[in-house]
Amino acid sequence: MSFLLTEPFRLLLSILCIVAFVGGNAAYLVLAERKGAGRFQNRPGPNEAGFGGWLQPIADVGKLISKQLMVPPEADQLLFRLAPLVVLTPAMMCLAVIPFGDTVVARNINVGLLMVFSFGSINVMAILLSGWASRNKFAIMSAARVVSQNVAYEIPMLLVVITLLMATGTMDLSEIVRQQAGGFWHWNFCRVWINPLMPVTFVIFFICMLAETNRAPFDMAEAESELVAGAFTEYGSMGFGVFFMAEYANIVLGCSLATVLFFGGWQTGLGAVPAAWGGWGVLVGLGFFMAKLYALIFTVIWVRWTFPRTQFYILLNLSWKILIPVSLFTLLLSSAMIKLLPR
Amino acid sequence: MKASLLAVPRGFLSLLTGMRVTLTQFFKPTVTVQYPWQTLKMPARFRGHIELIVDPENGRYRCIACKLCERACPSACIVVDGAKLEGEKKKSVTHYELDFTKCSLCGECIEACPSDAIRFSKAYNLASTNRNEYDYDLMKTPGPEEKRP
Amino acid sequence: MSASFDIAASAKSGETFVLNLGPQHPAAHGVLRVKMTMDGEYVMRSEPVIGYIHRMHEKMGENRSLAKFLPNTGRIDYLSALHYNHAFVGAVERAARIEVPPRAEFIRVITSELNRISSHLVWWGAFLLDLGGFTPLLYAFDDREKILDLLEGVTGSRLTYCYFRFGGVRDDLDEGFVERTRAFIAQMRPRLKMYRQLVTDNIILRKRLENIGPISPELCRRYGATGPVIRGSGVPYDVRKIEPYSVYSQLDFEVPVYPEGDCMGRYRVRMDEIAQSLRIIEQALDKLPDGPTLGKVPRVLKLPVGDVCYAVEAARGRLMVRIVSDGKEAAYRLKLRTPSFSNMSLFEEASRGMLLADALALMGSLDLVIPDIDR
Amino acid sequence: MPTTLEQIKEHFSGTGCALSCAPADRAVKGYDLDVSANAGDVVSAAEYLGGIGFALDTITGVDWILQNEMEVVYDYFHPASPLRIVVRTRVPRANPEVPTVSGVFPGANWHERETHDFFGIRFAGHPNLIPLLLPEDADYHPLRKDFNA
């Protein structure tokens, strides 16, 4: 039994958990989205498969798998097959660094944040790959849109994170969460003495996360009315399924990152968990993390079913003319405040 | 410059009011009728396919096969014949066929009928897979209430 | 400032490609095909190809008697079918000088205004769907369902009405209709306020529609565009006011006009028109006289020789029916001047140099019903 | 104030391009002025009416097979005044030819293509007189009285 505690088994277990977490999330977030959309629109959402519709994801996956994956003849054979893989793996790998609980983290490396952002940008390249490889007019137009959109929104996101790093001083995500112990006013979201515009930085981070994952109101990539299904037009069954899973994996990644950076990860907002609870304390922390994570995901769903889509040049104007200046301003402001005010 | 500066917060506020509206709708009850399990009651003047009216006194069809409805129908989907039974003043209908694929439910036949012998039925779940199932023979199809919900 | 774009420069560059929008495209509401010559995202030239749902209503008008053409009128523009009933029936009444009792006239106004609201609600939902907002469609259809129930109680059908007859209407209002309509009006007004908060004041939508697809009054006049398209460009042209027909002269309502001439102007015109139609229905219900609902009509209707025109303000604009008669039972020639036909014909000139998404917003703001174009 | 009916009437009867110009009662006919002109003057009438702000409502073709003539009716309405003007012209049925007004009213482009589809009336000077509503290779004209489906 001792091999249970050794490093390779722990690694295997964490890989298994992350894949299961991403897979389960992808399936049941689709159901949550459709149910949520239904409730926003005064209709029940899928409720035929299973009691109240909870078997719906199984039915969806079953349908997707049973369909034939067709590779269009004039598509670039290799790139076409490569794109779905390249879009899903970075999202999974980044989840390895997210601290779900005090000790519940796959591999805590001290440059966790850097790894998340470096892998996060591969997602853009993957969608470009799929758009280019399928040799389809709509796909190429949507791929071009995705690239310029992600480039435009990568910058304000990084600026916002830099202002945060100046405050936390470390890139190790677990350390960042530990710094936010104590009451919820210790959360970075409310640490206004570092940077009075901290709520604004969170809003910028949230908007950029929406734009990075091509979620409405920034879903220019697969704007049904113009580009049919955008970069994934040619993908059939499980090809489309993987892109769908990757989209939800990226949402989970973005929201968990926001929870860790701004809302104190697994910290309970009501003071430290008493040490006597021991193992259970970690579970309570995990529960709080999940609650915050799914609250943010609910907001992402909520935003999608409220707003129309923006126009492409408005989207770029919003980033270059509003988000970047504001985030630069917060960067200067917080660096000045950290320098002048005693810690 | 000031206007555009003011536009950003005002714009953001309009986003929030939009979200407040959808959130209040989130908690409102659903308005969907789950069709196969729950059905709606059809209003009095609902226009299903036409059906022959049975005369309550003598239990026979009121139709006297005068073919006025056949002539009034814009898409010619009604075929009527009648015969004069002995001992009867008026003719009575022997064969009344309706091609429901061409009927546009306009009600001109009902208006043209001098002896109020036909009316709209309340039938609405009439889906079928082959066309000729829609050649209704109104004499044979059961009375108004039995088959229809 | 919408991103416009000079066409001559890109024409020389030569790497343009043709994008086929439709005929089975999720955005075009119906079988309309637009061949767009694109340079990147910009539309250089767009050529609408129509006729995919052409059924030749005008020939049907010639080979069947006047009464038999009534069901067709509901199928030309199925979203505002009662206006087409009204135009055809009005033309025949004007030619044959048939008297329509006042109660029937008021019932006609009430039901066609309800039909106008249900048509605007479908437009509003579908237009927002084009722009990427999914939720408004469901709210619009929830309200529209209430109107359909009201009209189904009176006319018997939900979409393709065949309710107006020469000289009046087929049946009187069913009992409870007046109360249910008043309840609907009372419930619809706060919904309109909710629509304004959710969509009209939304900054994303404003940015999406303001000064996009400008249409000048001169362009409207040269193409004969009418209805909310011309009223969105600052010209107060409404057939109910300029050529008053039926009892519209006894009802007081304003014609919403917005001078901008962009998609937002047309959007606002239609939203205000819903409010105005509610006002009209309210007044018509107050003034509803008693009496018969069907005047005397000769058994076999023959129109005098010559031609007659009758214009009606349908949901999409000016609808004119011209009946040329040679004294026989059927019309010698039946011409349907439908609003979407002229509104669509200006799309080619209005959409030059626009971005693809803007061109679609423009097409959505024209509120097209494709069978109304093809007839 | 847009020009009044009298000014228009005496313009048409004055310039001699109109064969006859009869005022009509809108309550009876639906239009105010019925101008019949010969084919050549249709464009000048369109230019005059376009000049004073009229818009082209529609172009209607009528096939008078008994008189062996084709009639083309131009309807005009005015966005700011209730005036309704009708200009009609007759051309021989053998080779019906009318000059196009799409130069004055680009909206007429589609109306003329449609009238050409249904009647075979050629519009001289029309930019692309290809079928609008009928299939590309249609050589039949359905609204002619001698067209049997």
Side-chain angles (χ1 to χ4, degrees):
Chain A
M1 279 302 282
S2 65
F3 75 90
L4 276 179
L5 302 171
T6 59
E7 190 49 29
F9 176 76
R10 193 179 163 286
L11 211 56
L12 183 68
L13 184 69
S14 53
I15 288 171
L16 210 64
C17 286
I18 286 177
V19 169
F21 181 66
V22 166
N25 251 321
Y28 275 88
L29 273 188
V30 170
L31 177 66
E33 168 125 45
R34 289 172 64 182
K35 278 285 204 189
R39 292 298 304 172
F40 280 125
Q41 298 164 352
N42 304 342
R43 58 182 173 82
N47 56 9
E48 287 299 323
F51 177 72
W54 65 274
L55 278 180
Q56 187 67 31
I58 315 311
D60 285 350
V61 168
K63 178 201 72 174
L64 278 181
I65 287 180
S66 61
K67 288 236 181 73
Q68 180 210 6
L69 176 60
M70 238 223 326
V71 179
E74 80 282 357
D76 181 322
Q77 300 309 326
L78 172 67
L79 293 185
F80 189 83
R81 291 184 175 78
L82 196 62
L85 306 181
V86 172
V87 83
L88 187 60
T89 37
M92 285 197 187
M93 283 174 354
C94 295
L95 281 175
V97 175
I98 302 286
F100 292 95
D102 197 350
T103 57
V104 179
V105 61
R107 168 65 68 195
N108 183 18
I109 53 179
N110 52 24
V111 277
L113 202 54
L114 189 63
M115 173 195 167
V116 167
F117 277 106
S118 52
F119 279 111
S121 53
I122 296 180
N123 168 23
V124 177
M125 210 263 296
I127 295 182
L128 182 63
L129 220 59
S130 73
W132 174 257
S134 39
R135 292 283 190 284
N136 164 327
K137 244 178 276 183
F138 291 126
I140 291 171
M141 271 172 78
S142 104
R145 282 186 178 186
V146 161
V147 168
S148 53
Q149 174 180 327
N150 279 27
V151 161
Y153 278 87
E154 197 82 21
I155 300 167
M157 197 166 194
L158 292 178
L159 284 174
V160 155
V161 164
I162 290 167
T163 46
L164 210 65
L165 289 192
M166 277 195 291
T168 57
T170 156
M171 279 211 270
D172 174 350
L173 291 175
S174 303
E175 189 44 40
I176 291 176
V177 171
R178 280 193 202 92
Q179 280 176 6
Q180 299 175 39
F184 67 88
W185 56 91
H186 287 292
W187 290 351
N188 287 345
F189 180 76
C190 321
R191 285 165 71 163
V192 275
W193 61 86
I194 304 164
N195 162 4
L197 293 177
M198 200 50 102
V200 173
T201 45
F202 167 71
V203 168
I204 294 174
F205 184 87
F206 189 74
I207 292 174
C208 295
M209 190 267 293
L210 280 182
E212 291 281 316
T213 54
N214 296 326
R215 283 286 295 186
F218 303 106
D219 56 353
M220 311 304 298
E222 80 276 348
E224 301 78 15
S225 50
E226 305 112 40
L227 307 178
V228 188
F232 332 122
T233 326
E234 294 304 331
Y235 279 86
S237 65
M238 223 24 211
F240 184 71
V242 167
F243 274 104
F244 219 60
M245 232 158 101
E247 179 186 337
Y248 282 104
N250 278 321
I251 291 171
V252 165
L253 171 65
C255 290
S256 42
L257 202 60
T259 325
V260 164
L261 292 178
F262 287 95
F263 292 107
W266 41 266
Q267 295 291 359
T268 63
L270 331 152
V273 169
W277 289 12
W280 292 110
V282 171
L283 280 188
V284 165
L286 181 64
F288 268 87
F289 179 86
M290 286 300 169
K292 294 175 200 163
L293 174 66
Y294 285 109
L296 270 178
I297 290 179
F298 173 77
T299 321
V300 169
I301 294 174
W302 182 8
V303 160
R304 172 173 189 178
W305 297 105
T306 312
F307 297 129
R309 193 178 301 125
T310 55
Q311 173 48 278
F312 199 61
Y313 51 85
I314 300 168
L315 177 107
L316 297 181
N317 285 353
L318 176 69
S319 162
W320 295 107
K321 290 186 182 150
I322 297 173
L323 293 188
I324 291 181
V326 170
S327 45
L328 274 176
F329 174 70
T330 46
L331 179 66
L332 296 180
L333 186 70
S334 61
S335 55
M337 291 187 72
I338 290 167
K339 199 76 189 111
L340 299 176
L341 298 179
R343 174 64 65 163
Chain B
M1 180 52 192
K2 195 177 91 50
S4 71
L5 256 190
L6 208 59
V8 173
R10 213 156 15 89
F12 190 69
L13 274 183
S14 78
L15 297 183
L16 291 188
T17 44
M19 289 174 82
R20 178 176 53 77
V21 166
T22 34
L23 193 65
T24 45
Q25 288 302 322
F26 185 84
F27 296 108
K28 286 248 170 42
T30 61
V31 295
T32 321
V33 171
Q34 292 289 112
Y35 171 62
W37 325 118
Q38 308 153 353
T39 53
L40 287 171
K41 202 178 104 30
M42 289 296 122
R45 292 186 190 157
F46 174 74
R47 294 184 179 187
H49 65 78
I50 55 172
E51 61 187 4
L52 288 168
I53 299 176
V54 175
D55 192 347
E57 289 93 16
N58 54 24
R60 286 177 39 245
Y61 290 116
R62 290 237 284 273
C63 172
I64 54 167
C66 65
K67 294 192 196 300
L68 275 183
C69 51
E70 198 173 317
R71 240 178 274 115
C73 175
S75 6
C77 33
I78 295 176
V79 174
V80 188
D81 343 332
K84 195 165 181 354
L85 304 179
E86 73 300 339
E88 285 286 332
K89 313 189 282 326
K90 286 205 176 75
K91 284 199 298 188
S92 53
V93 62
T94 56
H95 174 66
Y96 198 108
E97 209 190 286
L98 166 75
D99 175 1
F100 193 54
T101 52
K102 296 208 286 290
C103 167
S104 53
L105 292 169
C106 58
E108 308 245 342
C109 49
I110 295 170
E111 280 157 45
C113 177
S115 61
D116 298 338
I118 43 177
R119 65 168 174 231
F120 283 115
S121 71
K122 296 289 176 287
Y124 60 88
N125 38 17
L126 305 165
S128 95
T129 46
N130 58 26
R131 291 175 68 93
N132 33 42
E133 206 174 291
Y134 285 111
D135 294 341
Y136 292 146
D137 177 352
L138 295 189
M139 305 271 284
K140 261 209 267 341
T141 43
E145 265 58 41
E146 287 73 17
K147 185 175 156 218
R148 305 297 179 268
Chain C
M1 190 283 299
S2 91
S4 68
F5 160 87
D6 63 8
I7 295 140
S10 84
K12 288 194 297 301
S13 62
E15 11 91 15
T16 62
F17 63 97
V18 176
L19 186 72
N20 248 318
L21 220 58
Q24 63 291 339
H25 186 286
H29 320 284
V31 268
L32 163 76
R33 174 171 162 223
V34 183
K35 269 201 305 207
M36 289 197 175
T37 325
M38 310 270 298
D39 175 8
E41 291 259 352
Y42 287 99
V43 176
M44 280 182 39
R45 215 178 64 78
S46 66
E47 191 219 337
V49 178
I50 57 175
Y52 287 90
I53 188 168
H54 171 56
R55 293 153 295 178
M56 203 69 221
H57 275 288
E58 288 166 1
K59 185 73 175 179
M60 286 195 234
E62 283 175 16
N63 57 23
R64 57 187 68 201
S65 81
L66 287 172
K68 291 190 177 179
F69 187 72
L70 272 170
N72 286 50
T73 57
R75 267 92 174 161
I76 299 168
D77 170 2
Y78 40 75
L79 285 183
S80 60
L82 282 175
H83 297 291
Y84 288 68
N85 275 237
H86 202 152
F88 179 67
V89 158
V92 172
E93 280 157 8
R94 176 172 279 175
R97 285 193 190 72
I98 296 170
E99 261 308 302
V100 180
R103 182 175 175 85
E105 286 288 6
F106 274 93
I107 291 177
R108 282 186 182 173
V109 164
I110 294 169
T111 43
S112 36
E113 288 305 321
L114 278 171
N115 204 209
R116 185 191 312 275
I117 298 175
S118 76
S119 162
H120 280 338
L121 285 174
V122 171
W123 160 80
W124 183 67
F127 184 46
L128 265 302
L129 200 60
D130 265 7
L131 302 175
F134 303 98
T135 311
L137 178 75
L138 276 304
Y139 297 157
F141 271 50
D142 183 13
D143 288 332
R144 179 166 174 265
E145 204 52 42
K146 297 187 177 67
I147 298 180
L148 294 190
D149 291 347
L150 281 174
L151 289 179
E152 186 178 18
V154 176
T155 61
S157 22
R158 286 166 56 86
L159 196 66
T160 53
Y161 301 106
C162 185
Y163 176 55
F164 292 177
R165 292 290 178 276
F166 307 132
V169 283
R170 183 167 187 271
D171 307 306
D172 201 337
L173 297 178
D174 60 344
E175 42 23 78
F177 174 84
V178 177
E179 289 71 29
R180 274 182 277 126
T181 312
R182 288 199 199 283
F184 165 73
I185 293 174
Q187 170 266 341
M188 187 66 192
R189 290 210 166 103
R191 287 287 281 197
L192 281 180
K193 190 160 104 43
M194 181 190 95
Y195 292 168
R196 195 167 35 71
Q197 284 169 346
L198 175 66
V199 176
T200 315
D201 298 344
N202 189 316
I203 186 79
I204 296 177
L205 188 93
R206 300 275 284 282
K207 278 277 192 296
R208 217 37 225 279
L209 294 184
E210 267 159 9
N211 46 52
I212 301 287
I215 294 180
S216 68
E218 187 50 23
L219 187 71
C220 285
R221 188 187 65 77
R222 279 170 46 230
Y223 280 89
T226 54
V229 177
I230 198 169
R231 290 196 286 276
S233 308
V235 178
Y237 179 76
D238 184 330
V239 178
R240 296 173 294 180
K241 283 283 186 192
I242 288 202
E243 294 173 51
Y245 56 97
S246 181
V247 285
Y248 280 107
S249 43
Q250 301 168 19
L251 301 168
D252 122 62
F253 60 96
E254 290 116 29
V255 173
V257 182
Y258 284 86
E260 297 93 359
D262 57 3
C263 286
M264 199 61 197
R266 289 183 285 278
Y267 173 94
R268 285 223 176 85
V269 163
R270 289 196 187 91
M271 295 312 274
D272 292 358
E273 263 178 24
I274 295 180
Q276 286 305 321
S277 291
L278 288 175
R279 249 182 85 192
I280 294 175
I281 295 170
E282 227 164 14
Q283 287 169 46
L285 284 176
D286 300 342
K287 291 183 176 147
L288 187 62
D290 297 335
T293 58
L294 204 55
K296 319 186 293 341
V297 180
R299 195 84 194 89
V300 179
L301 193 58
K302 284 195 168 61
L303 298 187
V305 176
D307 70 349
V308 77
C309 305
Y310 194 89
V312 154
E313 179 67 27
R316 274 146 203 80
R318 176 186 166 79
L319 159 67
M320 200 263 294
V321 170
R322 160 185 289 276
I323 302 180
V324 180
S325 164
D326 62 349
K328 294 209 186 55
E329 215 186 327
Y332 188 77
R333 166 75 162 114
L334 178 78
K335 174 68 187 178
L336 302 165
R337 188 269 183 203
T338 52
S340 298
F341 187 83
S342 308
N343 294 353
M344 180 68 193
S345 60
L346 64 81
F347 179 76
E348 187 168 353
E349 188 172 330
S351 71
R352 257 187 219 124
M354 289 173 68
L355 276 166
L356 183 60
D358 288 348
L360 279 161
L362 166 66
M363 196 197 289
S365 77
L366 295 177
D367 186 7
L368 302 171
V369 171
I370 313 307
D372 193 32
I373 299 174
D374 295 354
R375 294 179 306 270
Chain D
M1 230 307 280
T3 50
T4 62
L5 186 57
E6 284 67 30
Q7 284 163 332
I8 300 173
K9 195 150 73 65
E10 110 303 285
H11 162 79
F12 275 118
S13 40
T15 59
C17 76
L19 304 179
S20 84
C21 154
D25 167 11
R26 194 177 333 119
V28 170
K29 286 294 218 181
Y31 46 85
D32 296 303
L33 189 66
D34 183 348
V35 176
S36 60
N38 38 41
D41 306 325
V42 156
V43 181
S44 68
E47 267 146 14
Y48 167 69
L49 288 170
I52 53 174
F54 272 84
L56 181 66
D57 205 3
T58 184
I59 297 176
T60 319
V62 188
D63 174 14
W64 298 103
I65 193 161
L66 300 180
Q67 293 92 351
N68 204 340
E69 277 178 343
M70 285 272 194
E71 183 186 20
V72 180
V73 183
Y74 296 80
D75 278 284
Y76 293 95
F77 71 96
H78 195 289
S81 93
L83 290 181
R84 284 271 292 102
I85 312 289
V86 166
V87 177
R88 56 180 91 238
T89 172
R90 297 238 171 174
V91 279
R93 200 163 182 287
N95 64 346
E97 176 103 12
V98 179
T100 177
V101 291
S102 53
V104 183
F105 293 104
N109 185 317
W110 277 16
H111 286 295
E112 284 172 353
R113 274 172 66 186
E114 181 194 332
T115 316
H116 168 68
D117 283 0
F118 294 160
F119 291 92
I121 301 172
R122 278 187 313 284
F123 288 88
H126 191 283
N128 63 341
L129 204 57
I130 53 172
L132 177 72
L133 293 173
L134 298 181
E136 281 77 20
D137 52 2
D139 56 0
Y140 48 86
H141 301 296
L143 273 185
R144 285 187 170 207
K145 288 298 173 186
D146 54 9
F147 171 81
N148 36 41

